[in-house]
């Protein structure tokens, strides 16, 4: 079972992440073996497993050193994330993810919906079996609500040329940052830390998630489709305007409006022109600056965490700096 190469530097965490993936596999018991295999392929498609990693790292801060429980909750977090990706691919009509066919492209939207729903069920089964507090189940359900609100907020703003940076941040706070926040909270709280500490962990997770999504959107304008494994400007064609484009619209509105007003009728040449304008504007640098602000907020908060007997705090800092400073 091969994990992303970044975890080779953290052997103990690597072992726990492998155990989480194994538990996810054991939890999948579908009569339709083709769909089961499709879900397994997605689980093993090369994702970084960042959310369960943060859950596991923050579980080191409590007095409850129950590895089986921590691994199970990490698995539930990744199942929730995978389910949301499957549903994202349905909404976005995506044919590939991480250079592999999506479940919807291989089996159709109906099967993909059921696959995503099944993973939601698996997530809650693990959470119900291992979470020791009703608070965790409440947080999980509320997080799902916020994730959905972020997705719906983004959908409601499609092709809206008056969308603001504040609108964008509100949407990514739900659709991306919320799951990072939940991972950190559950890891801390379920290991026996105080609610106050768990909420501090949650704030760190939210800052990480915001910076992560902004950097993801910056990379859409910095890499080609091959490097990213997804169409670079597919979001623009679908009317989803991310931060670099919103920043560019402030300064280059006259150039961009005639292109964006074509909406779904944009040609490939049009999207390349949008790409060029955003790259040549200050949009990318301004977006990077905001990502850097959230990164700084997360790293400063991690520095203020108490020391542990192991190297958890060091790992938290190193991994956060690594993923938020990434170039691909």
């Amino acid at each position: 079972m091969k994990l992303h190469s970044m975890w080779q530097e953290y052997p103990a965490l690597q072992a726990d992440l492998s155990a989480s993936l194994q538990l996810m596999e054991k939890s999948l018991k579908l009569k339709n073996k083709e769909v089961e295999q499709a879900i397994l392929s997605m689980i093993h498609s090369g994702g970084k497993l960042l959310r369960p990693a943060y859950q596991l790292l923050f579980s080191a801060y409590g007095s409850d050193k129950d590895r089986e429980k921590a691994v199970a909750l990490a698995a539930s977090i990744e199942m929730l994330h995978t389910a949301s990706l499957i549903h994202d691919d349905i909404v976005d009509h995506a044919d590939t993810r991480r250079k592999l066919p999506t479940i919807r492209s291989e089996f159709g939207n109906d099967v993909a919906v059921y696959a995503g729903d099944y993973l939601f069920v698996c997530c809650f089964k693990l959470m119900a079996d291992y979470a020791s507090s009703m608070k965790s189940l409440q947080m999980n359900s509320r997080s799902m609500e916020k994730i959905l609100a972020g997705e719906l907020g983004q959908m409601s703003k499609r092709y809206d040329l008056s969308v603001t940076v504040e609108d964008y941040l509100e949407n990514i706070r739900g659709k991306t940052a919320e799951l990072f926040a939940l991972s950190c909270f559950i890891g801390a709280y379920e290991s026996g830390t105080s609610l106050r500490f768990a909420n501090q962990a949650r704030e760190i997770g939210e800052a990480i998630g915001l910076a992560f999504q902004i950097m993801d959107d910056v990379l859409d304008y910095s890499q080609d489709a091959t490097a990213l494994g997804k169409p670079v400007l597919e979001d623009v064609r679908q009317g989803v305007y991310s931060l670099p484009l919103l920043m560019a619209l402030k300064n280059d509105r006259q150039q961009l409006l005639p292109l964006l007003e074509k909406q779904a009728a944009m040609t490939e040449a049009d999207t390349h022109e949008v790409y060029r304008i955003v790259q040549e504007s200050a949009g990318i640098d301004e977006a990077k600056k905001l990502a850097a602000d959230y990164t700084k907020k997360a790293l400063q908060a991690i520095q203020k965490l108490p020391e542990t007997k192991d190297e958890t705090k060091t790992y938290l800092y190193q991994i956060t700096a690594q993923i938020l400073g990434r170039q691909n």
Side-chain angles (χ1 to χ4, degrees):
M1 187 175 298
K2 190 174 181 182
L3 298 183
H4 193 278
S5 59
M6 69 177 288
W7 301 121
Q8 291 175 6
E9 298 177 44
Y10 311 99
L13 185 55
Q14 185 180 43
D16 286 346
L17 288 171
S18 290
S20 294
L21 283 183
Q22 288 171 357
L23 182 57
M24 288 170 70
E25 284 188 356
K26 289 179 184 177
S27 300
L28 295 176
K29 296 175 182 177
L30 280 169
K31 290 183 179 178
N32 187 322
K33 293 304 173 184
E34 279 191 311
V35 178
E36 183 179 286
Q37 189 56 50
I39 296 174
L40 286 170
S41 295
M42 187 164 182
I43 289 171
H44 295 295
S45 63
K48 293 187 177 74
L49 303 178
L50 294 173
R51 295 148 192 85
Y54 277 106
Q55 189 274 329
L56 289 163
L57 285 166
F58 271 103
S59 71
Y61 276 95
S63 56
D64 182 359
K65 306 298 184 185
D66 186 339
R67 180 177 183 265
E68 181 184 350
K69 174 181 172 181
V71 164
L73 294 177
S76 76
I77 290 287
E78 186 60 17
M79 282 181 162
L80 176 55
H81 178 229
T82 306
S84 70
L85 293 182
I86 292 172
H87 286 172
D88 281 352
D89 289 338
I90 297 167
V91 173
D92 295 340
H93 307 288
D95 292 328
T96 60
R97 178 177 288 276
R98 299 169 187 154
K99 303 178 185 179
L100 295 173
T102 58
I103 291 179
R104 68 154 293 278
S105 69
E106 196 167 356
F107 296 97
N109 283 344
D110 292 350
V111 170
V113 168
Y114 290 129
D117 290 349
Y118 179 70
L119 281 172
F120 281 131
V121 171
C122 290
C123 162
F124 272 102
K125 281 172 65 179
L126 279 177
M127 187 70 72
D129 286 344
Y130 285 92
S132 58
S133 167
M134 184 60 69
K135 179 76 174 175
S136 295
L137 292 171
Q138 289 172 340
M139 292 298 293
N140 194 306
S141 58
R142 287 172 186 168
S143 290
M144 286 183 66
E145 182 181 16
K146 289 178 181 178
I147 292 166
L148 178 59
E151 295 288 0
L152 289 173
Q154 179 175 283
M155 186 181 293
S156 71
K157 294 292 183 180
R158 286 192 173 189
Y159 301 115
D160 185 349
L161 291 166
S162 65
V163 65
T164 65
V165 171
E166 289 70 27
D167 292 329
Y168 164 84
L169 290 174
E170 181 181 354
N171 292 336
I172 69 167
R173 184 171 277 110
K175 80 184 194 79
T176 301
E178 181 59 31
L179 195 46
F180 277 94
L182 177 68
S183 302
C184 296
F185 177 90
I186 294 291
Y189 192 68
E190 281 294 329
S191 68
T193 71
S194 67
L195 180 58
R196 180 180 178 182
F197 181 88
N199 282 327
Q200 286 179 314
R202 177 182 172 79
E203 288 177 8
I204 291 171
E206 182 179 81
I208 291 168
L210 287 167
F212 185 84
Q213 183 60 58
I214 294 170
M215 283 307 301
D216 230 27
D217 293 337
V218 165
L219 289 170
D220 279 351
Y221 289 92
S222 307
Q223 305 289 324
D224 61 23
T226 303
L228 283 173
K230 62 182 178 180
V232 173
L233 291 176
E234 193 59 35
D235 280 353
V236 176
R237 289 192 186 94
Q238 295 180 2
V240 178
Y241 305 144
S242 62
L243 189 60
L245 178 54
L246 294 179
M247 295 297 198
L249 267 169
K250 289 183 178 181
N251 304 321
D252 298 277
R253 198 169 186 84
Q254 194 170 359
Q255 283 191 82
L256 287 167
L257 275 184
L259 297 166
L260 298 176
E261 284 172 345
K262 295 181 182 182
Q263 299 188 358
M266 289 179 72
T267 65
E268 188 173 345
D270 292 331
T271 60
H272 280 293
E273 183 64 6
V274 169
Y275 181 80
R276 182 192 65 79
I277 294 169
V278 174
Q279 280 205 316
E280 293 180 2
S281 76
I284 292 176
D285 287 339
E286 290 178 21
K288 282 183 176 179
K289 184 179 182 303
L290 188 55
D293 290 342
Y294 283 115
T295 300
K296 182 179 179 182
K297 179 181 178 181
L299 292 176
Q300 286 180 339
I302 289 170
Q303 283 182 318
K304 293 177 182 177
L305 292 173
E307 299 292 343
T308 58
K309 292 180 180 178
D310 55 20
E311 296 184 87
T312 297
K313 181 176 174 178
T314 301
Y315 291 168
L316 275 169
Y317 191 95
Q318 288 176 348
I319 291 166
T320 301
Q322 179 183 351
I323 65 170
L324 298 184
R326 71 197 195 282
Q327 299 300 314
N328 54 55

